[in-house]
Amino acid sequence: MIELKSYRDLTVWQKSMDLVVICYQLTSLFPKTEIYGLSNQIQRAAVLILANIAEGKGRNHLGDYIRHLSMANGSLKELETHLMIVGRLGYLNLSSG
């Protein structure tokens, strides 16, 4: 079994860091009118996922860790919803055709 010394060792934290970068890259392609709307909300939700995982891992009690993971999961659902709105608005054409 691998010993985790830091939140940075968590695979979920590493993937969440990648997700933050992707979200910032995607929102840079949005219309400028969305800079304070969906762009901001998407970036904020992605960062909160990452931050809550790190903060939870840094807590001394398992209950605190689980609560922070739950908050990260809530932010993930929020991010998913924002991205569904982006798709419906047609802000990104991700087809490979």
Side-chain angles (χ1 to χ4, degrees), residues 42-89:
I42 287 169
Q43 292 167 1
R44 184 190 60 76
V47 168
L48 281 174
I49 295 166
L50 185 66
N52 275 306
I53 293 168
E55 183 175 352
K57 180 65 176 154
R59 298 290 178 144
N60 291 326
H61 300 286
L62 180 60
D64 288 338
Y65 183 38
I66 292 170
R67 190 179 70 227
H68 279 81
L69 290 179
S70 177
M71 289 187 287
N73 188 49
S75 294
L76 179 61
K77 302 305 183 206
E78 178 183 353
L79 175 60
E80 179 182 26
T81 300
H82 293 322
L83 293 174
M84 291 169 77
I85 293 168
V86 166
R88 286 189 174 211
L89 292 173

